[in-house]
Amino acid sequence: MVTRRSSILGPDGMPVEVAVLGEEVAVPTIAGVRRTVEDRQATGLTPERLAQILRQAETGHGRAYLTLALEMEERYLHYASQVQTRRLAIEGIDPVISVPEGVPAKIADAVNEMILDDSAFRSACGDITSGISQGYGVVEPIWEYERKHLRPVAYKWRDPRFFVFDRLTLSTLRLATDADPFEGEELPRHKFITHMPRTRVGIPLRAGMARPAAWAFLIQSFALKDWAAFSEIYGIPFRLGRYGANATDADKRALLRAVRMIANDGAAIAPTGMEVEFIKVEGSHGAAVFGELIDYVDSQVSKLVLGQTMTSDNGSSMAQAAIHNEVRLDILRADGRQLAATMNRDLIEPFVAFNFGPQEVYPAIEFPVPDPEDVEVLTKAIAAMVPLGLRVGQRQIRDKLGLAEPEADEDLLVAPTPPSPAPAPAAPA
């Protein structure tokens, strides 16, 4: 039987199976390699087990590592907040479409309609940035004919554990199957959007933020556990029960119950002649030991994820945050460029090729990050230069300050009217 070749071509000029584009391929299952429950790694994690998990990821066996990365965002609150801050910063950038010379207007209009008018696309951009933590993120678009074009009508986030890497380079993503959970099978062409942020050089399973942050997670887990035990010991006074030389076994048991009840109930009774003594122990230095250790680890995580600590942790002034925010902007710009490259490769170019045929040049999506404006410096400069003859447009200044054009009947802020000069005194007669 001869398979009918599709008339739809991809950006590379090769035919595409349209039926596959409309199906869900990487669906979760109750059991097997694409199950979504039962995996646990963080509970009872030890240094030896963590080292083993990271070594397995280096060789391409990343399921345990990916499970730990997901659990870390549930258990390590500071790490979760920093990763969320970075991801939301990317998601908050408004995308724009640049149209190179030579692109027909109908192609540009179709791309603008698909991207700028689709809230699902914005959600997909947010979902796929999970690769910052795990090393790679995958979204599966579901393609259907709608409004005269073959376009994604839904974007499905896919668990990174549903995929494996080729055994040679450990860089080409493949779909994990029950028939071959280690080698997997080749992904259908133009079916997945795969984002592999270039946070560092190396294979994707070693590039995610979760790998270096895993050691911080382990340290803070032990520190919190020890701090809780320390607080339990030093937070409640040590109770010492004393009984007389003639006390019976029943008296001793009664005294022991009384001492134990004081900790739980705050009240107890004891036979006459028995004594309960509260021994006070100073434990205020616990915060200095465990608290400072956790603060140090958290600050390193902030540097890892955001590139700085001034805008994420306590103890920073506004001036310090403004200076150090430049580092974070560099990271945000790099994240925007990498996300744009992924979307252009896996979404924009296939969409154009499917509907208009392969092109020499394609429209491109961009995630531009504007430079922050120092309003005080800007206004002082304008106030000094305008009297010297500098011509400045009001619209440009309003855009920089984020001010809208006033309505026709709106009250306006105006400069105060200078007081009228006092009349000169009359000349003496």
Side-chain angles (χ1 to χ4, degrees):
M1 179 178 180
V2 179
T3 302
R4 182 179 179 183
R5 295 173 63 87
S6 173
S7 59
I8 301 297
L9 303 180
D12 54 2
M14 299 297 293
V16 176
E17 295 296 332
V18 179
V20 176
L21 296 178
E23 299 175 352
E24 292 192 42
V25 176
V27 293
T29 57
I30 299 297
V33 295
R34 294 206 294 272
R35 64 186 183 276
T36 57
V37 297
E38 298 179 1
D39 284 9
R40 298 290 185 275
Q41 295 296 333
T43 303
L45 186 65
T46 63
E48 293 79 12
R49 175 56 184 156
L50 177 57
Q52 182 184 22
I53 290 174
L54 298 181
R55 284 195 298 267
Q56 288 176 348
E58 293 174 7
T59 60
H61 302 282
R63 187 176 184 91
Y65 163 71
L66 295 171
T67 300
L68 178 62
L70 293 172
E71 290 184 288
M72 283 170 53
E73 295 191 43
E74 299 173 352
R75 298 193 177 202
Y76 190 4
L77 302 185
H78 183 78
Y79 171 72
S81 70
Q82 301 303 279
V83 171
Q84 183 185 42
T85 297
R86 182 163 170 179
R87 292 180 59 186
L88 291 179
I90 305 171
E91 194 172 353
I93 306 174
D94 292 326
V96 297
I97 303 297
S98 64
V99 182
E101 185 178 355
V103 175
K106 61 179 181 179
I107 294 180
D109 294 340
V111 172
N112 273 282
E113 181 188 12
M114 180 186 68
I115 297 300
L116 303 183
D117 297 338
D118 188 3
S119 61
F121 170 79
R122 300 297 298 270
S123 298
C125 291
D127 292 341
I128 209 170
T129 55
S130 60
I132 293 173
S133 172
Q134 300 149 13
Y136 63 97
V138 183
V139 168
E140 181 179 356
I142 309 302
W143 297 78
E144 291 183 8
Y145 279 100
E146 185 179 87
R147 287 178 285 178
K148 301 180 180 180
H149 292 121
L150 179 61
R151 68 175 68 224
V153 296
Y155 297 88
K156 304 287 186 179
W157 174 82
R158 294 311 185 194
D159 195 309
R161 293 172 293 183
F162 293 177
F163 303 88
V164 295
F165 286 93
D166 69 292
R167 310 309 300 170
L168 178 60
T169 67
L170 297 180
S171 298
T172 302
L173 209 60
R174 300 172 65 87
L175 181 64
T177 62
D178 293 330
D180 195 345
F182 299 107
E183 292 288 345
E185 64 182 27
E186 186 177 358
L187 298 180
R189 293 171 52 249
H190 310 302
K191 179 55 181 166
F192 293 92
I193 302 174
T194 59
H195 184 50
M196 299 181 185
R198 195 176 63 258
T199 55
R200 65 178 57 85
V201 177
I203 62 175
L205 284 173
R206 301 191 68 171
M209 293 296 174
R211 184 179 178 89
W215 292 107
F217 167 68
L218 184 66
I219 293 172
Q220 72 89 32
S221 297
F222 281 127
L224 282 176
K225 186 185 300 182
D226 292 342
W227 198 356
F230 181 90
S231 300
E232 183 177 0
I233 294 173
Y234 290 101
I236 302 175
F238 186 77
R239 291 89 58 204
L240 178 62
R242 301 179 185 275
Y243 57 85
N246 298 326
T248 64
D249 290 342
D251 294 336
K252 297 175 183 179
R253 288 192 294 270
L255 178 61
L256 180 61
R257 285 196 302 271
V259 172
R260 288 176 173 172
M261 289 172 63
I262 291 174
N264 296 329
D265 300 335
I269 59 174
T272 304
M274 293 185 179
E275 180 183 355
V276 177
E277 180 181 358
F278 293 87
I279 301 176
K280 184 179 180 181
V281 180
E282 297 293 340
S284 59
H285 59 281
V289 175
F290 300 105
E292 289 187 6
L293 174 60
I294 292 176
D295 288 343
Y296 171 78
V297 172
D298 287 348
S299 68
Q300 303 310 303
V301 170
S302 297
K303 294 176 184 177
L304 170 70
V305 179
L306 299 181
Q308 45 82 31
T309 61
M310 290 298 180
T311 57
S312 57
D313 298 331
N314 293 329
S316 60
S317 67
M318 288 295 292
Q320 288 174 320
I323 294 172
H324 285 261
N325 196 47
E326 293 298 328
V327 180
R328 184 174 171 179
L329 286 175
D330 290 342
I331 295 176
L332 182 56
R333 289 191 179 99
D335 287 339
R337 287 192 298 268
Q338 294 175 24
L339 179 60
T342 296
M343 288 301 180
N344 289 326
R345 182 195 66 220
D346 293 342
L347 182 63
I348 303 297
E349 293 180 9
F351 169 77
V352 173
F354 293 166
N355 294 281
F356 304 98
Q359 305 290 316
E360 292 292 333
V361 290
Y362 294 86
I365 189 171
E366 297 177 355
F367 294 89
V369 180
D371 291 323
E373 294 290 348
D374 192 326
V375 176
E376 182 178 359
V377 173
L378 178 63
T379 53
K380 287 183 177 179
I382 293 175
M385 298 300 294
V386 168
L388 299 179
L390 178 67
R391 301 178 62 188
V392 181
Q394 291 189 9
R395 180 180 300 176
Q396 182 180 9
I397 300 302
R398 285 198 181 95
D399 291 342
K400 287 184 175 294
L401 300 181
L403 301 177
E405 183 76 21
E407 300 293 337
D409 57 347
E410 189 175 358
D411 294 335
L412 302 178
L413 296 176
V414 297
T417 303
S420 300

